[in-house]
Amino acid sequence: MDGLIDDEPLDDVESFLSPNESDERDNVGPTLKEIHVIPANTRKFDCCCFSSDGKLLASGGSDKKATVWCTRSFKVRSTLDEHSQWITDVRFSPRTLKIATSSGDGTVKVWDVDNHGQSLRTFTGHSTGVASLDFHPSKDDLICSSDISNEIRYWSIKNGSCVGIFKGGATKLRFQPNNGRMLAAAAGKVVSIIDIETQVCRLKVQGHKKNIHSVCWDPSGEYLASTSDDVAKVWKFGSGSKGDCIHELNCNGNTFHTCVFHPTNTSVLIIGSHESLELWDMTENKTRTLQAHEKLVTALDASNASGLVASASHDCVKIWQ
């Protein structure tokens, strides 16, 4: 598969690998350096996402707003505040400066970042709060969302209409990068791999003993990571593999919640748990624990263009390199 198309990287961002820093569990492997903190104040952060060039970061949570920040100055670029309940997920389009948000109010909204955060579309039709959503990586006018009532909907931004419904809700949705034909939808202890063109479930990835909280693809689209309270797993697709589990890490006492692949070294998986980040070098099968937050890490995202990592929690959003 072809790699993702990245814009020019930020000139002033260094590599976030700093092997000389101290570690609580061992003294080898990758680490992260904290470079900025966005305080929660009266809100709680539940989601975050970088733009494709890494120059913007969107966050959302309990204050019913999504905020777009510039990652150079960390000043607010725009505030998106038309939802009536908390923001459950926020995603940048990989191709344009559009943002999609899902909410507990049962709606999905699409926003134009370049035009002062103007709301372009509001999609209704979900019977309950919408848990997660994602943009199609190669089609400008299609997003996907899921509600808690066992239903996934495909929306056309251009037409403002629902173009397909798949029975089978999910707590987290993520499109496979590049061609975007496959969608990973986590529900309960299973990840369904759905063919978006035919709306057929091609594969059910099973092996978790507890409910899955998070899924993420590596940039190539060949590897999918999933986390539950007790374990993180990495599954291989392509090259003759059909969802084979190739790596597994037990939580070692601290429950796992969210995950993202390292932005420049995909052999490292970053796992968010209660108060800490776990950096798992899968090649060496070694881990490093960083005390990162005062509360559960609710979301992670990484920018392949800038090398930045964002971790969200109810206390703050932190930016790392």
Side-chain angles (χ1 to χ4, degrees), residues 84-313:
S84 61
Q85 293 188 35
W86 74 97
I87 306 295
T88 58
D89 205 0
V90 58
R91 302 293 290 171
F92 271 97
S93 166
R95 300 168 63 85
T96 63
L97 273 181
K98 292 184 177 70
I99 291 178
T101 54
S102 59
S103 171
D105 63 13
T107 67
V108 170
K109 290 181 177 288
V110 179
W111 314 79
D112 185 350
V113 179
D114 267 346
N115 192 15
H116 306 290
Q118 179 184 0
S119 176
L120 299 174
R121 293 286 188 187
T122 298
F123 297 109
T124 60
H126 293 278
S127 58
T128 58
V130 183
S132 184
L133 82 168
D134 201 12
F135 277 94
H136 193 290
S138 61
K139 295 183 179 180
D140 291 335
D141 66 342
L142 186 68
I143 58 174
C144 181
S145 62
S146 174
D147 64 11
I148 305 170
S149 63
N150 205 37
E151 187 175 87
I152 296 172
R153 288 180 174 247
Y154 306 95
W155 300 97
S156 168
I157 300 173
K158 181 179 180 180
N159 298 326
S161 61
C162 179
V163 295
I165 299 176
F166 182 85
K167 293 298 181 181
T171 54
K172 189 66 69 176
L173 299 175
R174 290 295 180 258
F175 271 109
Q176 186 180 33
N178 305 319
N179 64 18
R181 179 158 185 166
M182 297 301 173
L183 178 76
K189 304 170 186 177
V190 177
V191 181
S192 297
I193 307 300
I194 302 169
D195 187 326
I196 187 119
E197 301 296 332
T198 62
Q199 297 180 29
V200 172
C201 180
R202 295 297 184 186
L203 180 67
K204 287 187 179 292
V205 176
Q206 303 182 60
H208 282 276
K209 296 179 180 179
K210 296 187 177 182
N211 288 344
I212 298 167
H213 300 304
S214 178
V215 291
C216 67
W217 294 92
D218 86 311
S220 72
E222 293 187 8
Y223 300 95
L224 177 76
S226 57
T227 55
S228 56
D229 283 349
D230 58 337
V231 69
K233 292 175 177 283
V234 176
W235 317 82
K236 185 177 180 181
F237 296 85
S239 303
S241 299
K242 296 182 178 180
D244 301 322
C245 182
I246 58 171
H247 298 292
E248 182 175 310
L249 180 69
N250 293 316
C251 71
N252 195 25
N254 194 2
T255 56
F256 293 155
H257 187 74
T258 185
C259 60
V260 70
F261 283 91
H262 183 302
T264 60
N265 182 358
T266 55
S267 66
V268 174
L269 186 70
I270 305 168
I271 305 168
S273 59
H274 184 65
E275 299 181 352
S276 65
L277 298 177
E278 198 84 16
L279 279 67
W280 176 26
D281 185 331
M282 292 173 283
T283 302
E284 302 292 334
N285 197 27
K286 294 179 179 180
T287 59
R288 178 188 290 268
T289 302
L290 298 178
Q291 292 302 313
H293 290 271
E294 296 180 359
K295 298 181 183 295
L296 176 71
V297 179
T298 54
L300 287 167
D301 197 37
S303 169
N304 301 105
S306 67
L308 295 176
V309 175
S311 61
S313 178

Side-chain angles (χ1 to χ4, degrees), residues 18-30 286-288:
S18 302
N20 294 326
E21 293 194 9
S22 62
D23 174 70
E24 296 188 357
R25 292 174 59 175
D26 52 55
N27 292 318
V28 296
K286 294 179 179 180
T287 59
R288 178 188 290 268

